[in-house]
Amino acid sequence: MHPAHFHVTVDVVALTITDGVLKVAVVQRDSKTSCIDQRRNGDVREIPRDSKHHWALSGGHVRYDTENINEAAARELFEETKIKVDPESLVQLGAYGALGRDPRPGRTVSIAFLAFQPMFSDPIAGTDAKQARFFSVLDLLTEPNRLEFDHELMLLDAIQRVREMVLTTPIATSFCPPQFTMSELREVYEVLWHPAYDKEISDADRQRLAAELRRYENSDEYQLLSSLKNQSARGNTESRTAQPRGLSSGSVYSRIESEFPEFRYQLAQMPQERLNQITKILMTEAKSNVPKKPEIKKRLDPANFARKVEKIPGFIEKISDSELRSSMSGTGRPAQLYRRGDIQRLDPPLRLEVKRGKGKTKWD
Amino acid sequence: MHPAHFHVTVDVVALTITDGVLKVAVVQRDSKTSCIDQRRNGDVREIPRDSKHHWALSGGHVRYDTENINEAAARELFEETKIKVDPESLVQLGAYGALGRDPRPGRTVSIAFLAFQPMFSDPIAGTDAKQARFFSVLDLLTEPNRLEFDHELMLLDAIQRVREMVLTTPIATSFCPPQFTMSELREVYEVLWHPAYDKEISDADRQRLAAELRRYENSDEYQLLSSLKNQSARGNTESRTAQPRGLSSGSVYSRIESEFPEFRYQLAQMPQERLNQITKILMTEAKSNVPKKPEIKKRLDPANFARKVEKIPGFIEKISDSELRSSMSGTGRPAQLYRRGDIQRLDPPLRLEVKRGKGKTKWD
DNA sequence: CCAAAAGTGTTCTTAGTACACCCATGG
DNA sequence: CCATGGGTGTACTAAGAACACTTTTGG
C-alpha cells in the first residue's frame, strides 16, 4: 500500500487564433503561489529566462473533496485568466506524470485540458496583462519565452489534438466570430497546419520556422494592423493616446504627415471622423506592407475548400438574408456569411491532404 | 494549498482477438487487496454480481517515488496477468478522476492505458484462471459479468481508441500471428467495428447485440471449435482427458460413435494419429454448425481490402518464398502470408467507410 | 461434382484537384 | 483602369465500390 504522496493538478491549454496567429493563454505566476513545476529547466537544458519571460499554462490543484478534474480545470482557468468555459466542453489531453516534474516532496501528476469553447476575440478582459495574456504559440517555442518544459509538451500535444478535432468536429468554428466568412474558416485550417507546430519536427527546424513567423508578427505593419483592428472593432477611444508599440519606421507616419500636416499637434483634438480617416489610411498602408504569411503548409484552394465544407451536413449554415461582409483584407468581393451548424461530429470528416511523410517516411 | 489526499492508480486495458472475438484481460481481486473502486455499483445501478462474476481491469497504485505512470502500468499488468509489455508501447487513454469513484477516504485518480503490443495468443500463461484471464468484451458488457462502472467506460474508450489507431498505425498486425493472411488481418477490422462496441449506442441496443454475439460464442460448436483449435495448435495432450466444456448436444458425438464405435472405451488408449482423425471430424462438424458471426458492421470486400492495405507503403510485407497457409476455415484456396512492415504510422491512413451516422445524424 | 475462400481484373461512380472565368469591391 | 479576393463552372485524375471470373483447397 502506498501512502498518498501525490499532488494532482490540472493545466489548461486555451487556444485562439487572432490575426492569423495561433495564440495560447498563459499566466505569469510569482514564485510564491506557483505550485506546478516551477524552475524545471535545470535537468533538461539551461534556458535563458527572466521574470518577464516566465510564462506557464494556467492551472493548479484539484480540490480533492469537492470537484471533478474538469471542473477544477475550468475553475483554475477562470481564476487566472477570467476566461469562462463550460467544464463539459473541456477536452482532456491526458495525464503528465513523469517523475521529477516537480522538485517538491511528493509527486505531482498533472492532467492537461484543451479549451476553445469561447471565441477568444478579446479575452482575459479585466486582467492585468502582466499576469495573464494570450501569447503567440510560436513565440513560446522560441528562445526568450519558453514555457516550462512539460508545458511545452502539453502545448504541442494540444495542437496535435486540435488538428484532429477540427477535422472530425465543428470546433473550427470556435476560432471564428459567430458570423464568419469562408476565408475566416479556411484560415483556421491554414494556420493550424503550419509545419512549425508539427510535433515530430526537429527543434532546429522549429526554431527556424518560428523565427520566420515571428518576423512576420513583429513587423511594424503587423503590429500596427492588429492594434488598429482592435481599435476600430470596439471603437474604444482609450487607445487614441496610446501609440501602437513597436512603431518606429517612418514610412506610414510620413505619409500621414504629408496628407495631414497638422497631425503632430492636433491629433488629440481631432474629431472622430477625421481619426477614422487616418485609421483607414494607416490600415491600408499596413496591409500593403505586411509580408505574406510565410509558408503555410498548403494554401488551401478556396473554391475546393468551400465546396468540401458545405457538403458536410450540419457543419455550417449559410446566413441567407444577411449582409455580406467585406473580406479580411478590405479589398475583394464581399463574402457570404455563415454560422456554425448544430451537429457534434463532422460526418463524413473533413479531409485535407496532409502529407505526413515529410522527413522520415520512405517513399519508393 | 490543498493537502495531498490523492491516490494515483493505473488501469490497463489489454486487448486481444481470438477466434473472431474481442477479449480483454481482467482480474478477479479479493476484497482485501482491491484498491480501485470496489463496490461501485450502488450509486449507479444495482447489478447482480457474485464473486465469480466480479472482474476488473488489472491495475494498482503508482509507486510515487520510483516509477513513471506508464512503468507502473506495465508493472501492474505483469504482476497481475503475467503479460509482459514495453512501458513505452502503452498508450495512455486519459485520467479518470470523477468524484466518488472510490469510497475510501481521500480521492483516487486513475490513469488508463491501452496495451496490445504482444500477440496475446496464449496469454496469462501460468496464472490461475481464477485470478486473471481474457474475457470476451461483449460478455463484460452484459449482465452477470459487468465490470466496475468506470472500468466499463475505460473499456469503451479503449475500443474507440483502438479503432482510430488501427486506421493510422500498423497495430492491427498486433492482433495477428507473426505471419498472417489477409483474412486474418481483415477480421481484426471486422471484429473491431462491431456496432456493439460503439460508445454512443443505447444500453438496450448494446444488450441486444451483445446477446447475439454471446449466443454465438456460447454455442456448443464454437466452444468445441476453439478448444479443438487450441488443442491442435499446441498439440498438448493434457486436454485429451479434459472434455470440452459446454458440450451437451449429441450430434457431434453421435457421428463419432457411428464411425468409431470403440470410442467410449478406447479413447484414452487411442494413438495420436487416430485422435487427430477424430479431431478433424469434430472440427469439420463444428465449423459447419457454427452460426454465422452475427451482423458485423460491414463485411469488408476481401479484394478491395487487400488492395487498399497493400497500397500503404510499409504496412505489411508479402512473405515471398514461404509456405502458403490454408484458410481459417480449412476450406478454400491457401492464402499468401504477410508479416508486419517497419513503419510507425499508416501514411496515408487506412480508410474504411464507417458510416457513423447510424441513429442521430440527419441526412436529408 | 460443390462450397468456400483466395486472388485478379474490370466497370462504374465518386471525391478531389487544378484550373479558367466572371463578379464585386477598394484604390 | 488594376489588384484582390469571392464565387461558379469544368475537365482531368485518383480512389473506391461492386461484381464477375479464375484458382485452389476440402469434402
Side-chain angles (χ1 to χ4, degrees), chain A residues 260-275:
Chain A
F260 303 92
E262 73 277 35
F263 171 77
R264 218 170 254 137
Y265 311 105
Q266 299 192 354
L267 180 62
Q269 293 79 26
M270 218 174 277
Q272 183 65 38
E273 182 190 355
R274 191 120 204 202
L275 261 183

Side-chain angles (χ1 to χ4, degrees), chain A residues 78-346:
Chain A
F78 179 73
E79 285 178 8
E80 298 192 329
T81 70
K82 298 290 179 282
I83 297 172
K84 197 134 188 58
V85 296
D86 174 12
E88 298 305 314
S89 76
L90 292 171
V91 176
Q92 189 189 125
L93 289 171
Y96 294 75
L99 269 172
R101 62 187 293 282
D102 195 311
R104 293 170 308 158
R107 173 99 175 269
T108 300
V109 171
S110 185
I111 297 156
F113 285 86
L114 179 58
F116 31 44
Q117 160 88 339
M119 197 222 114
F120 299 134
S121 55
D122 186 28
I124 322 192
T127 314
D128 181 6
K130 290 268 157 103
Q131 290 178 353
R133 58 167 295 202
F134 276 107
F135 216 96
S136 160
V137 166
L138 268 306
D139 275 353
L140 293 170
L141 299 175
T142 55
E143 264 330 315
N145 298 302
R146 289 254 193 176
L147 286 173
E148 305 295 336
F149 171 68
D150 85 334
H151 279 193
E152 180 169 322
L153 183 60
M154 288 179 195
L155 178 56
L156 290 173
D157 286 345
I159 295 170
Q160 218 59 32
R161 180 70 76 89
V162 173
R163 285 184 179 177
E164 291 174 27
M165 292 189 75
V166 291
L167 300 180
T168 54
T169 74
I171 59 150
T173 56
S174 303
F175 291 106
C176 299
Q179 314 210 115
F180 51 88
T181 67
M182 266 300 168
S183 26
E184 286 170 327
L185 183 61
R186 176 163 38 87
E187 194 188 34
V188 172
Y189 292 89
E190 293 177 335
V191 167
L192 284 175
W193 262 271
H194 191 285
Y197 303 133
D198 290 356
K199 197 178 178 183
E200 62 279 359
I201 208 175
S202 82
D203 198 66
D205 280 345
R206 196 195 315 281
Q207 297 306 317
R208 185 178 48 76
L209 290 164
E212 253 175 54
L213 248 204
R214 214 175 162 156
R215 198 161 48 246
Y216 162 73
E217 288 173 50
N218 289 337
S219 66
D220 291 352
E221 290 79 9
Y222 174 84
Q223 294 282 346
L224 176 57
L225 180 57
S226 54
S227 55
L228 289 177
K229 242 187 200 166
N230 286 343
Q231 178 180 334
S232 60
R234 28 180 159 134
N236 85 5
T237 51
E238 145 198 35
S239 52
R240 280 175 57 176
T241 54
Q243 195 168 340
R245 73 190 160 106
L247 248 198
S248 56
S249 77
S251 70
V252 186
Y253 276 173
S254 61
R255 174 160 170 203
I256 293 177
E257 289 188 32
S258 73
E259 296 203 22
F260 303 92
E262 73 277 35
F263 171 77
R264 218 170 254 137
Y265 311 105
Q266 299 192 354
L267 180 62
Q269 293 79 26
M270 218 174 277
Q272 183 65 38
E273 182 190 355
R274 191 120 204 202
L275 261 183
N276 287 346
Q277 271 185 288
I278 297 181
T279 299
K280 223 165 194 178
I281 293 178
L282 281 168
M283 289 188 74
T284 305
E285 183 72 17
K287 276 165 204 156
S288 67
N289 286 0
V290 168
K292 283 293 166 212
K293 225 159 298 166
E295 61 163 288
I296 275 164
K297 174 72 180 198
K298 166 98 176 181
R299 199 77 197 177
L300 299 169
D301 183 296
N304 296 335
F305 177 83
R307 271 187 288 250
K308 225 185 275 191
V309 163
E310 278 176 330
K311 184 165 11 180
I312 299 174
F315 184 12
I316 58 174
E317 298 172 357
K318 198 174 286 195
I319 301 178
S320 43
D321 353 302
S322 160
E323 303 278 297
L324 304 183
R325 164 139 25 123
S326 61
S327 70
M328 289 184 288
S329 72
T331 181
R333 175 172 164 183
Q336 173 64 51
L337 285 177
Y338 297 84
R339 76 170 77 88
R340 72 172 296 171
D342 54 358
I343 53 156
Q344 297 306 306
R345 291 190 67 82
L346 300 190

Side-chain angles (χ1 to χ4, degrees), chain B residues 332-350:
Chain B
R333 176 172 163 182
Q336 171 66 53
L337 284 177
Y338 296 84
R339 75 169 78 88
R340 72 171 297 170
D342 54 357
I343 53 157
Q344 296 308 305
R345 291 191 66 83
L346 300 189
D347 194 19
L350 182 60

Side-chain angles (χ1 to χ4, degrees), chain B residues 77-93:
Chain B
L77 181 64
F78 179 73
E79 286 178 8
E80 297 191 330
T81 70
K82 297 289 179 282
I83 297 172
K84 197 135 189 58
V85 296
D86 176 12
E88 299 304 314
S89 75
L90 291 170
V91 176
Q92 189 189 124
L93 289 172

